[in-house]
Amino acid sequence: MRSSPPPVRRPDSPLAPGKPQIVPALWVTAALIAAVWVQEIVDLFGFGGRLDYYGIEPRVPGTFWHVLTAPFLHYGFPHLIANTVPLAVLAFMSAVRGVGRFLAVTLVVAVVGGGLVWLLARGGSVHLGASELIFGYLAYLLGVGWWERTPAAIGVAVVAAVLYGSIIWGVLPGNPAVSWEAHLSGFLAGLLAAALLHGRRPKRPSNRLKV
């Protein structure tokens, strides 16, 4: 009678799934919210709103790097206030899986989603706001539920869908003053992040015995 050898444990990666990290998730979420609020206060009272020019300007040469700044800029406090709660909730839910994973998701949403806006959005406009991240985090949570299909992942996806699933309609053209292109691009980038980080479910350890 032979038994299969125990699986080799590999060093944990900051992107590997693990136990919920509630306290780090709270800290990184608080830092994100503080950053967008401090930036808007400094912009309005120190620069007179001129930092908004660092939003995404589709196909304008030399401005592609604005994909890294646009998600953290807002057209005044009403715009920021409208985004604060969904950004905080969805960011926290995404960061509970790990801060390293959350930062990777944020980077994918900002660069890929912002890149799509830069390439395909309406010209002669400036696209900015955290809605790109909001749609990206929502899509990421839904994608994790689909890819992993574990009770925890599905439960989180259901909660996210119940809380903010109705905003998905924002990916369709509507109000000309609202960047539906950023909503759609952020959502697609969030799905991509979920596929990249969760596309392969971990194999269950086998305890079967060979006779």
Side-chain angles (χ1 to χ4, degrees), residues 13-18 94-95 97-107 140 144 148 193-194 196-198:
S13 163
L15 298 181
S94 301
R97 299 297 299 267
V99 172
R101 186 182 295 266
F102 171 74
L103 295 177
V105 172
T106 302
L107 183 62
Y140 167 71
V144 172
E148 288 197 352
L196 292 174
L197 297 173
H198 301 266

XYZ file of all heavy atoms in Angstrom, residues 13-18 94-95 97-107 140 144 148 193-194 196-198:
195
model
N 2.523 34.274 -1.812
C 2.715 35.442 -2.653
C 1.728 36.509 -2.233
O 0.630 36.200 -1.768
C 2.479 35.062 -4.122
O 2.283 36.213 -4.907
N 2.075 37.786 -2.378
C 1.124 38.845 -2.042
C -0.110 38.817 -2.922
O -1.111 39.444 -2.604
C 1.931 40.133 -2.268
C 3.049 39.734 -3.176
C 3.362 38.321 -2.824
N -0.057 38.081 -4.052
C -1.219 37.975 -4.923
C -1.969 36.663 -4.720
O -2.963 36.423 -5.380
C -0.789 38.090 -6.391
C -0.138 39.409 -6.794
C 0.199 39.390 -8.271
C -1.033 40.585 -6.470
N -1.480 35.809 -3.834
C -2.130 34.527 -3.628
C -3.340 34.676 -2.721
O -3.349 35.501 -1.816
C -1.136 33.539 -3.008
N -4.407 33.875 -2.967
C -5.571 33.946 -2.096
C -5.249 33.459 -0.703
O -4.384 32.608 -0.500
C -6.590 33.036 -2.802
C -5.746 32.078 -3.583
C -4.544 32.855 -4.012
N -5.931 33.981 0.270
C -5.702 33.584 1.641
C -6.876 33.983 2.506
O -7.984 34.200 2.025
N -13.049 44.485 -2.381
C -11.986 43.954 -3.248
C -10.686 43.757 -2.483
O -9.940 42.812 -2.750
C -11.754 44.906 -4.426
O -12.921 45.088 -5.198
N -10.407 44.650 -1.528
C -9.138 44.604 -0.807
C -9.107 43.531 0.267
O -8.021 43.178 0.745
C -8.846 45.963 -0.185
N -9.420 40.498 -0.026
C -8.662 39.348 -0.512
C -7.157 39.545 -0.380
O -6.388 38.601 -0.554
C -9.010 39.082 -1.984
C -10.461 38.764 -2.247
C -10.872 37.485 -1.555
N -10.119 36.349 -2.031
C -10.527 35.557 -3.028
N -11.662 35.809 -3.653
N -9.802 34.528 -3.400
N -6.733 40.766 -0.096
C -5.306 41.045 0.047
C -4.951 42.365 -0.594
O -5.448 42.691 -1.681
N -4.095 43.133 0.077
C -3.742 44.459 -0.427
C -2.955 44.360 -1.729
O -3.170 45.144 -2.661
C -2.928 45.231 0.636
C -2.388 46.535 0.059
C -3.811 45.529 1.850
N -2.035 43.393 -1.823
C -1.275 43.232 -3.053
C -2.159 42.952 -4.242
O -1.998 43.529 -5.322
N -3.120 42.071 -4.053
C -4.073 41.744 -5.113
C -4.906 42.973 -5.465
O -5.172 43.259 -6.640
C -4.965 40.597 -4.647
C -5.911 40.062 -5.701
C -6.784 38.972 -5.105
N -5.981 37.832 -4.714
C -5.770 36.777 -5.503
N -6.281 36.754 -6.705
N -5.071 35.760 -5.086
N -5.324 43.734 -4.449
C -6.137 44.931 -4.684
C -5.362 45.963 -5.502
O -5.909 46.577 -6.424
C -6.560 45.531 -3.345
C -7.217 46.870 -3.449
C -8.513 46.988 -3.916
C -6.534 48.025 -3.088
C -9.128 48.234 -4.014
C -7.131 49.265 -3.179
C -8.438 49.367 -3.645
N -4.103 46.162 -5.171
C -3.283 47.118 -5.924
C -3.111 46.664 -7.368
O -3.109 47.489 -8.297
C -1.928 47.293 -5.253
C -1.954 47.922 -3.852
C -0.548 47.969 -3.271
C -2.567 49.319 -3.897
N -2.973 45.348 -7.575
C -2.858 44.828 -8.933
C -4.147 45.085 -9.718
O -4.104 45.485 -10.889
C -2.538 43.333 -8.901
N -5.285 44.861 -9.076
C -6.567 45.115 -9.728
C -6.705 46.591 -10.086
O -7.126 46.954 -11.197
C -7.733 44.675 -8.821
C -9.077 45.104 -9.406
C -7.708 43.171 -8.618
N -6.348 47.458 -9.139
C -6.446 48.895 -9.379
C -5.582 49.316 -10.555
O -6.007 50.127 -11.396
C -6.031 49.674 -8.119
O -6.884 49.279 -7.024
C -6.156 51.170 -8.325
N -4.378 48.763 -10.647
C -3.479 49.106 -11.746
C -4.052 48.636 -13.084
O -4.011 49.374 -14.075
C -2.111 48.476 -11.506
C -1.030 48.805 -12.545
C -0.752 50.304 -12.578
C 0.243 48.025 -12.243
N -14.762 43.159 -11.110
C -13.779 42.252 -10.527
C -14.437 41.299 -9.532
O -14.200 40.087 -9.571
C -12.684 43.064 -9.844
C -11.775 42.259 -8.953
C -10.852 41.363 -9.482
C -11.845 42.376 -7.565
C -10.022 40.621 -8.668
C -11.013 41.648 -6.743
C -10.109 40.770 -7.296
O -9.294 40.026 -6.475
N -14.630 37.342 -9.957
C -14.060 36.396 -9.001
C -15.091 35.327 -8.646
O -14.777 34.135 -8.558
C -13.580 37.125 -7.734
C -13.173 36.116 -6.659
C -12.402 38.026 -8.055
N -13.868 31.601 -9.517
C -13.542 30.720 -8.399
C -14.694 29.773 -8.060
O -14.475 28.619 -7.737
C -13.177 31.547 -7.166
C -11.833 32.229 -7.274
C -11.317 32.689 -5.926
O -12.065 32.619 -4.931
O -10.165 33.122 -5.866
N -9.061 41.752 -14.973
C -8.291 41.560 -13.746
C -8.718 40.286 -13.027
O -7.874 39.532 -12.519
C -8.452 42.775 -12.828
N -10.023 40.024 -12.986
C -10.513 38.804 -12.342
C -10.019 37.571 -13.078
O -9.613 36.584 -12.455
C -12.041 38.825 -12.289
N -7.291 37.324 -14.932
C -5.850 37.192 -14.775
C -5.470 36.662 -13.399
O -4.551 35.846 -13.260
C -5.171 38.544 -15.009
C -5.205 39.092 -16.436
C -4.614 40.490 -16.473
C -4.460 38.167 -17.390
N -6.171 37.128 -12.380
C -5.794 36.791 -11.006
C -6.517 35.572 -10.455
O -6.057 34.977 -9.470
C -6.050 37.994 -10.087
C -5.232 39.243 -10.402
C -5.687 40.406 -9.533
C -3.753 38.980 -10.193
N -7.635 35.203 -11.063
C -8.444 34.104 -10.517
C -8.857 33.104 -11.583
O -9.725 32.271 -11.333
C -9.712 34.650 -9.847
C -9.457 35.601 -8.729
N -9.392 35.211 -7.412
C -9.233 36.942 -8.738
C -9.150 36.273 -6.653
N -9.043 37.332 -7.431
